[in-house]
Structure formats: C-alpha cells, structure tokens
C-alpha cells in the first residue's frame, strides 16, 4: 500500500483542483470525472485509508466531512431537492483512491439500487 495518493497532491496544491471549501482539517473539490450534474468530494487532510479505518479516534474528523457536505448543499442550493453522500470502500465498494472521501452527488434524482446485476450474497 502506497503511503500517499493523488489526494495528497491536491491537498498540497501540487496539482490543481476546483476547490469548493477548505479548512485546516478538510478539503472539498469537484470530482474530475463527474457522475452527476453536481459531484464533489470531501476529504480529510489527514489520510484515512478506507472506511474500515474509521474509529473512535477519528470519528469527529469523519463527522466533519458530513458537516461540510451539508453546508455546501445549502450554499449551492441543492439541500432541499436532495443529494447522495457516499463513501466507497475497497474493490467491491468501487474505491479507487485509498484516502477516504465522501462523494456528494446532486442535480438529478439518483438511481437505487446502485448495482444492476444479481446479488452476490
Ligand atoms: P473512488 O472510486 O475511490 O470512490 O473515487 C475516487 C474519485 O476521485 C473518482 O470519482 C475520481 O473521478 C476522482 N479523482 C481521481 N483523481 C482525481 C484528480 O486528480 N482530481 C479530481 N478532482 N478528482 C479525482
């Protein structure tokens, strides 16, 4: 497992990103490959590798990501229409960047369920 990801380079401003929000603990920026009319990511500056690594010690930081998502939803005006906030975990969850991030998707009604093939279980 690499000790950094592309998100560290975004946090350190080594590569550009369309940043929507930043504070000392977290960053929100538009996804480079949007899957909805609105699609941004909210990430902690401190790397947490996957959702499996969320615990009592970092729970406040993870909760902060949801606070930022809710604030941006109001600010960008899609809070009432609604949105999806999701964190993919490991291969079956569709995770490709191993630094946790909350996907916030909005601007159209989301489909459910997220898979179309037969149940694995
Ligand atoms: P995952 O597949 O891990 O849940 O989500 C990773 C997300 O990061 C993807 O939606 C992908 O488009 C986005 N992403 C990957 N590299 C970059 C990048 O360099 N800049 C931005 N803005 N988004 C990225």
């Amino acid at each position: 497992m690499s000790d950094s990801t592309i998100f560290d380079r975004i946090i350190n401003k080594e590569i550009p990103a369309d940043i929507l929000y930043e504070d000392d603990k977290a960053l929100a920026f538009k996804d480079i490959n949007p899957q909805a009319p609105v699609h941004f990511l909210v990430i902690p500056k401190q790397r947490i590798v996957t959702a499996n690594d969320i615990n009592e010690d970092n729970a406040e930081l993870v909760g902060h990501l949801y606070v930022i998502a809710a604030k941006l939803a109001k600010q960008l005006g899609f809070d009432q229409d609604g949105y999806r906030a999701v964190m993919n975990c490991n291969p079956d969850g569709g995770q490709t960047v191993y630094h946790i991030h909350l996907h916030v998707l909005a601007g159209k009604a989301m489909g459910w369920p997220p898979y179309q093939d037969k149940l694995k279980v």
Side-chain angles (χ1 to χ4, degrees):
M1 177 74 60
S2 159
D3 59 5
S4 73
T5 74
I6 190 88
F7 289 173
D8 288 297
R9 302 188 64 204
I10 291 175
I11 292 164
N12 295 328
K13 312 283 163 54
E14 291 163 9
I15 57 170
D18 197 339
I19 293 173
L20 300 173
Y21 175 89
E22 179 167 19
D23 64 26
D24 57 331
K25 295 187 286 291
L27 189 67
F29 53 94
K30 290 186 182 174
D31 196 293
I32 203 168
N33 183 23
Q35 301 301 314
V38 176
H39 184 181
F40 60 84
L41 307 172
V42 192
I43 71 170
K45 288 188 172 176
Q46 170 202 312
R47 185 181 182 207
I48 298 169
V49 177
T50 80
N52 289 328
D53 302 303
I54 297 171
N55 56 40
E56 289 76 8
D57 292 338
N58 56 33
E60 193 173 330
L61 177 59
V62 175
H64 185 55
L65 306 182
Y66 283 89
V67 172
I68 293 167
K71 279 186 182 163
L72 283 172
K74 287 188 193 75
Q75 194 179 304
L76 298 174
F78 59 79
D79 55 319
Q80 295 306 309
D81 282 343
Y83 56 96
R84 181 158 298 160
V86 64
M87 189 177 289
N88 298 329
C89 181
N90 278 340
D92 276 7
Q95 185 173 9
T96 58
V97 178
Y98 282 76
H99 178 138
I100 65 162
H101 44 283
L102 199 55
H103 289 265
V104 179
L105 301 127
K108 64 175 184 181
M110 302 294 142
W112 192 265
Y115 51 80
Q116 302 299 325
D117 52 352
K118 284 201 288 186
L119 280 177
K120 187 176 168 183
V121 289

